[in-house]
Amino acid sequence: MIPGKYRSVSGRAANNVNCGLHLVIQTSSLPEKNKVEFKLNKDTSSFPGRLSQHDLERNYSSRQGDHINLVSSSLSSFPILQRSSEEKILYSDRLSLERQKLTVCPIINGEDHLRLLNFQHNFITRIQNISNLQKLISLDLYDNQIEEISGLSTLRCLRVLLLGKNRIKKISNLENLKSLDVLDLHGNQITKIENINHLCELRVLNLARNFLSHVDNLNGLDSLTELNLRHNQITFVRDVDNLPCLQHLFLSFNNISSFDSVSCLADSSSLSDITFDGNPIAQESWYKHTVLQNMMQLRQLDMKRITEEERRMASVLAKKEEEKKRESHKQSLLKEKKRLTINNVARQWDLQQQRVASIATDEDRKDSDSAQDPCQIDGSTLSAFPEETGPLDSGLNNALQGLSVVDTYLVEVDGDTLSLYGSGALESLDRNWSVQTAGMITTVSFTFIEFDEIVHVLPKLKIKFPNSLHLKFKETNLVMLQQFNALAQLRRIDQLTIDPQGNPVVNFTLWKYYVLFRLSHFSMQKINGTEVTQNDMIMAERLFGILAHVASSELPQYRLISILGDARKKQFRYLLESKGKKPGIINEENNDSKRPVGENTNRATLNYTTREFYNEKLEEIKEKKKFCKTYIEDLVKEATEINMKNEALQKLWPQMFIELVRDAVIEIRNKNSYMKLCLQQITDQK
C-alpha cells in the first residue's frame, strides 16, 4: 500500500486502502446508467469476515441528474433523503452523497439495508441520523468539518471508518466498533493515541498528518498489520513490539533523531517494511546500517528493497558494534568499581578524621588548664600531635562495618599520571614497575592519605619514578608549613598542586612563598597551576630568608656539622648522577645543568619530623627525663643523708673526743701492760 492519506480525485482512482473489496461508484445524467458496481473478492452476497484489501476506487463527481433528492422537512431541521423505488432496488446496499454541500447528515429512512455510505467532500460538522443503519459496513466521511467522533455506537457491523481530513482532536466513542478493520483518521488534529486498545480486529490504522509527538498505548491491537504515522511530530516510539501482526510501519517526516528513541522496533519479529525518510535520523551516516543491524527481518526500508550485500555489511558492522559495546561495558564496570572504591576510601578517610578530631577534643578538655609548648628538634618547630589511641566510637564502627565495598585503596595509572587513593596504595611503590611505565610517569597524585605516611615513601618515589616532576596532594592533611620541608629530599619538582580541600595549610596567605623559599633548589615552575615569576622568588627570600639563618644559628655545633656533611654528600651525589645519567631516565640534562647544585645549607637545617618519629622522640625524651629525675633524686637523697650524719657528728664529737682521751689515758697508765698488748697485737697480725 502507498502510505499517506487516502486519495480522492474526480474522474480517477480516489482512495487506495487495503481492505478486501473493490468498490467503483459511477454516476451519470441518465437514470438508466446511474449504477454502482460492487465487487467482492469472494462473494457479492455477503461481506467477508475480514477485509484483506482496502482499495477503493471512486469517481465521486456529483452531477445535476443524480436521482437523489434531499427534501426539507417542516418538522425537522434536517433534510430527508428520498430515493426512487428503482434505485432502492438496484442499489439497496450503497449510497453516495458526495459533494452535496451538506452541513448536516440527512435523515435516511427506509434504507436499513445500507452497507456502504459515502459523505465525502461536504461540510458536515457532526455525525448523526445514521444510528438506524445497523448493517452499515463502510462509512466514508472524508473531507468534512467533523470535530468529534460520535453517533456510531449502534453500528456494530462497521468495518471501514474513513474520517480523514476533518477537525477531530481526540479519538473517542469507538467502544462498540469491535469489528472495525480499517480506521482512517489522517489529516486531523489528534495529539494522542488513545481509546483504541479494544479494536482487536483492526488491521489498518492511518494517523498521518496529525499532531502526535509520541507513539504508545498500542496494546491490544493484535490484528494490526499497517500503521501510518507520516507527517507528525513524533520523537519516540513505544509499544510497537507488542503488535504481533504489524508488517508495515510508516514514520516518514517526523522528528526522530536517534535509534534509541525507537529501539522497541528491534524487538518486533513481524515488521518487514518501514520508512524513516524525512527524519533527522535519516541524515546520519550510520542510519541505514544501524537500522539493519537491529532489524534483520526487514525487507524494505524507505520504500527500497534491501539487498543481501546490505545485510552482509550490516552484519559485519553489527559484530564490530557488539565488540565496542562489550569493551564499553567493561570500561563502564571498571569505572563504576573505581567510583565505588574511591567513595569507600573517602568514607574511611572521613571516619578517621572524625576520630582524630574527637580524640583531639578530649585532649583539649583534659589539658584546658595548661597549654603545651611546641618542641624544637633539629631546628624544626613541631606541633604536639594527639596520639591515635583508644577504641572507635560505636556509631563510627558500625558505619565502617556497613561499607559495601571491600577495597580500601586504589592505584591507577592514566597516561603519565599515577594516582594513589588510600594509605594502602603506598605499598604499590614496592612493586616491580616496568622501566617503560616508570619512565613514563611524570605526575604523582596522592588522595585520602596522611602526609606523614607519604613522607616515608618519598625516597622510594624518587627511585621508582625518576621522571616524576609534578606532585598533587588532595585530602592529605597538610596543616603546617614545616611539612613542605620533607619534599626537599626528592630528586626534583617542577610543579606542585595542593588542593584546598583537606589541606588547611592552603589557608595560610604566605604558604606559596614558603614553598618557593624552602624548595628554591628545585627552581619550581608552577604552583597550583600558576606560573612562578622572578618576583615571587625575590619575595620568598625577603619573607623567609632570615628563618634559615636563625634555624642554623640555634642548632648545636654537632648537628650543624652533621647536616653540613649531609648537604655535601647530596651535592657530590648530584654531580655524579648528572655526569653518568642513563639514557631515557632523565631527558633534561641541559635544564639540569642550569639548576643550582643541591640545596642551600642554611635551608637544609629546616627539617620536618613526622608525627610517628616525633612520638618516638617524645617517648625517648620522656625516658631520659625520667632517668635524670630518678638519678637526681637519688643524689639528693644521698647528700641529705650525708648532711644529716655530719650534723649528728658535730653534736656528738665533743663527748666522743673526751671519751677517746679518757680511754687513751687509761690504756697507757700501765706502760708494761700496754706494750705487751701492742706486741701481742703485732704478733697476731703476722
Side-chain angles (χ1 to χ4, degrees), residues 24-92:
V24 178
I25 299 176
Q26 295 179 335
T27 61
S28 173
S29 59
L30 298 177
E32 64 273 9
K33 294 186 177 179
N34 186 0
K35 63 178 181 179
V36 179
E37 181 180 334
F38 180 52
K39 296 181 180 179
L40 292 176
N41 289 343
K42 295 183 179 179
D43 185 11
T44 59
S45 62
S46 62
F47 202 82
R50 171 169 294 277
L51 299 174
S52 61
Q53 179 183 5
H54 178 232
D55 202 354
L56 303 176
E57 297 182 359
R58 303 183 181 94
N59 181 346
Y60 288 137
S61 342
S62 231
R63 302 195 179 179
Q64 297 279 333
D66 287 351
H67 285 199
I68 296 175
N69 297 322
L70 297 173
V71 181
S72 298
S73 171
S74 60
L75 301 177
S76 174
S77 59
F78 299 100
I80 300 176
L81 176 69
Q82 292 183 355
R83 288 201 300 175
S84 64
S85 58
E86 181 182 356
E87 289 175 338
K88 287 184 179 181
I89 295 173
L90 291 175
Y91 315 116
S92 61

Side-chain angles (χ1 to χ4, degrees), residues 12 49 107 122 148 161 376 421 477 588 599 638 653:
R12 56 188 174 87
I107 297 175
N122 283 288
E148 181 184 8
L161 179 58
Q376 288 192 358
Y421 299 87
N477 264 349
E588 296 90 3
E599 61 181 327
E638 185 177 353
W653 177 246

Side-chain angles (χ1 to χ4, degrees), residues 663-681:
D663 291 342
V665 171
I666 293 174
E667 191 174 6
I668 64 173
R669 182 187 305 173
N670 189 345
K671 187 176 182 181
N672 293 328
S673 298
Y674 178 71
M675 292 179 64
K676 287 180 181 180
L677 180 60
C678 291
L679 289 172
Q680 185 63 36
Q681 290 178 351

